[in-house]
Amino acid sequence: MIFEEKRVFFLDFRLPKYSNSDKTTTTTTTTVNMNNRVGPDESVEVNSNTTRLQRLYAQFRKQKLLWIVFLVICIDVVISVVTITVLMNKTEREKTSTIDITTPTSTSAITMEITTSTSTPTSIITTTTSPSSTTTSEQLIPSVIIDKNTKWKKDAVTVAGGNGDGSELNQLNQPWGIHVDSDDHSIYIADTGNHRIVRWEFGANKGETVAGGNGQGSAVDQLNYPNDVVLDKEKKYLIICDYKNTRVIKWSLQNSQDRQVLIPGIYCFGLAMNNNGDLYTSDWGAWQVTRWQQGYEEGKVVAGGNGKGSQLNQLDEPKYIFVDKDHSVYIADYMNNRVTKWMENANEGSLVAPGQVSNENPDTMVHPRGVVVDHEGNIYVSSESSHQIIRWSAGAAEGMSVIGEKQSGSEPTQLQDPHDLSFDQQGNLYVVDRNNHRIQKFAIDRD
């Protein structure tokens, strides 16, 4: 009995008793553990993927660092190349601006000045010499200043026409107006008697028809005694006074089919354009000058417009006109034998070329047609009756003949019924020699 009790006690010690609730809990716990168990294959796969991602990330970090280093090196190289190039160009310019000539014995300093007859220097050359080298610098004045002392050679050069009255491309028929292109010195001529506009390139022996040339008429591709022409600001269109068609027409230089009537019903005689590209027209039928601003259909009367008359607020058959940089308008007031200047927004003009008629003064202006103005405000007028170009200085009671002779003729020193005038950038003076059917160029006299 004693032995059996001990045995039972030993068994109870090794295997403790559990209640029914404890069994249920144990079973449930075991079930949960079984459901959440991760098999050996899945664990290996997760570890493998994690290792691969870590390697890729580490490799990316290494490549990113290399790209940053490479980019920094490239930027440094570009900056270095640009800096070296700028320094080399600067050095080259400094070398070309100075000419070194070795002169072992010269020690003098020489200064030479080339001037025109107006005592205005056109080119200054300064040379300084030393026992070892000579430095030469030259400064050229880009344009000639024309003033009251400027002279022109008496013998002109015929630059267009001069082959008699005719309709061939090497001929003109009573030309009236001209426009000289400041870029290439081409001359656009209102070849009035041939009802066309022709362009003569610099040095050419014949012209080319650029507008009209389809006979006299009123169709959009025809002209009827055109008497003036200008280029628009962009030099894409000709603007033409179509005199007997009483209109101003716009004609494309790039497309001969592109033509447009700009201003109808106007007795236009002269045209001018200011530095803004605004167009000015002289209307001898309405005794006024009108400005047409770009983009506006209506013009503004800037001179005259008060009926025909001789008062300073009136005009009588205005012919050619000139507009200066301040937008003042100079008008050849034909029947009043005068030139008047109308400042911008003025109510009347001022008398700048009186045109006093007297037998004692052979340089008197009678029936002015063309007019241009120089840098100092001196006025140059073509006089129909005297066959000369007269210069009127500020405040002068009389003008002075600068071109032409007292007698009309066809010699290089003579004119016959001069009309429109124009300067080029070198100061040469172009004259429309109407009844000699030619355009004359009088070169500026630098002697």
Side-chain angles (χ1 to χ4, degrees), residues 131-429:
S132 59
S133 66
T134 299
T135 301
T136 303
S137 63
E138 183 175 2
Q139 183 179 6
L140 298 177
I141 298 175
S143 61
V144 176
I145 302 299
I146 303 172
D147 59 24
K148 64 180 181 180
N149 297 314
T150 303
K151 296 180 181 179
W152 289 266
K153 294 185 181 297
K154 297 299 182 182
D155 290 347
V157 175
T158 300
V159 293
N163 297 302
D165 176 6
S167 59
E168 299 297 325
L169 287 177
N170 68 340
Q171 295 178 307
L172 299 172
N173 184 1
Q174 293 195 338
W176 283 35
I178 58 170
H179 178 88
V180 179
D181 189 338
S182 59
D183 291 333
D184 60 9
H185 291 180
S186 294
I187 307 170
Y188 294 85
I189 306 167
D191 190 5
T192 306
N194 285 322
H195 314 289
R196 66 187 182 186
I197 306 297
V198 291
R199 176 176 61 199
W200 286 63
E201 294 183 356
F202 180 75
N205 55 16
K206 66 178 181 179
E208 62 171 325
T209 301
V210 291
N214 299 308
Q216 180 182 5
S218 59
V220 73
D221 65 340
Q222 293 179 308
L223 299 173
N224 191 355
Y225 290 101
N227 55 7
D228 204 9
V229 58
V230 295
L231 278 173
D232 73 341
K233 191 174 182 180
E234 288 77 24
K235 298 186 178 181
K236 295 180 180 179
Y237 289 89
L238 295 172
I239 300 175
I240 305 165
C241 258
D242 195 4
Y243 180 62
K244 287 200 173 180
N245 280 328
T246 61
R247 65 188 182 186
V248 174
I249 192 167
K250 181 179 179 181
W251 202 297
S252 173
L253 287 171
Q254 300 171 345
N255 179 7
S256 60
Q257 303 302 314
D258 184 3
R259 299 176 292 267
Q260 177 186 356
V261 176
L262 287 181
I263 309 169
I266 179 175
Y267 287 95
C268 176
F269 197 98
L271 297 170
M273 190 168 289
N274 66 16
N275 48 19
N276 293 332
D278 300 332
L279 179 68
Y280 293 72
T281 59
S282 65
D283 186 345
W284 67 267
W287 308 291
Q288 66 187 28
V289 174
T290 306
R291 182 183 68 202
W292 307 83
Q293 289 182 282
Q294 293 190 85
Y296 290 83
E297 295 183 359
E298 296 294 328
K300 177 183 178 181
V301 176
V302 295
N306 297 301
K308 177 181 177 180
S310 60
Q311 300 298 315
L312 287 178
N313 67 343
Q314 294 177 308
L315 299 170
D316 190 352
E317 290 193 23
K319 300 298 184 184
Y320 290 108
I321 55 179
F322 180 89
V323 180
D324 67 14
K325 61 182 178 61
D326 298 319
H327 302 172
S328 295
V329 184
Y330 296 77
I331 306 167
D333 195 1
Y334 182 77
M335 293 303 295
N336 283 324
N337 295 317
R338 67 187 184 186
V339 174
T340 54
K341 174 184 177 181
W342 293 67
M343 299 180 69
E344 190 171 22
N345 299 321
N347 293 321
E348 64 178 27
S350 59
L351 196 61
V352 290
Q356 297 177 359
V357 179
S358 66
N359 294 328
E360 292 77 16
N361 181 17
D363 300 324
T364 295
M365 177 179 59
V366 178
H367 293 329
R369 286 190 179 270
V371 57
V372 290
V373 182
D374 67 20
H375 299 83
E376 292 188 349
N378 300 297
I379 302 155
Y380 300 79
V381 184
S382 61
S383 178
E384 176 183 330
S385 300
S386 68
H387 310 287
Q388 293 176 311
I389 309 303
I390 310 298
R391 175 167 58 205
W392 294 80
S393 300
E398 297 179 351
M400 181 180 69
S401 174
V402 293
I403 285 175
E405 298 180 357
K406 297 177 182 179
Q407 299 296 323
S408 65
S410 59
E411 296 299 318
T413 59
Q414 295 177 311
L415 300 170
Q416 190 170 352
D417 194 9
H419 272 50
D420 202 8
L421 305 172
S422 179
F423 286 121
D424 65 16
Q425 287 189 330
Q426 283 69 44
N428 304 309
L429 182 57

Side-chain angles (χ1 to χ4, degrees), residues 67-170:
W67 278 111
I68 293 174
V69 172
F70 178 76
L71 182 60
V72 171
I73 293 173
C74 289
I75 293 173
D76 185 66
V77 170
V78 170
I79 293 174
S80 300
V81 170
V82 171
T83 303
I84 293 172
T85 303
V86 171
L87 291 175
M88 290 179 66
N89 289 338
K90 181 178 179 181
T91 303
E92 189 67 20
R93 287 195 300 269
E94 292 175 350
K95 288 181 179 179
T96 56
S97 63
T98 303
I99 304 173
D100 292 332
I101 306 172
T102 302
T103 54
T105 59
S106 176
T107 59
S108 61
I110 304 171
T111 300
M112 295 182 293
E113 182 172 290
I114 302 174
T115 64
T116 66
S117 60
T118 65
S119 300
T120 301
T122 59
S123 176
I124 300 175
I125 304 174
T126 304
T127 305
T128 305
T129 63
S130 65
S132 59
S133 66
T134 299
T135 301
T136 303
S137 63
E138 183 175 2
Q139 183 179 6
L140 298 177
I141 298 175
S143 61
V144 176
I145 302 299
I146 303 172
D147 59 24
K148 64 180 181 180
N149 297 314
T150 303
K151 296 180 181 179
W152 289 266
K153 294 185 181 297
K154 297 299 182 182
D155 290 347
V157 175
T158 300
V159 293
N163 297 302
D165 176 6
S167 59
E168 299 297 325
L169 287 177
N170 68 340

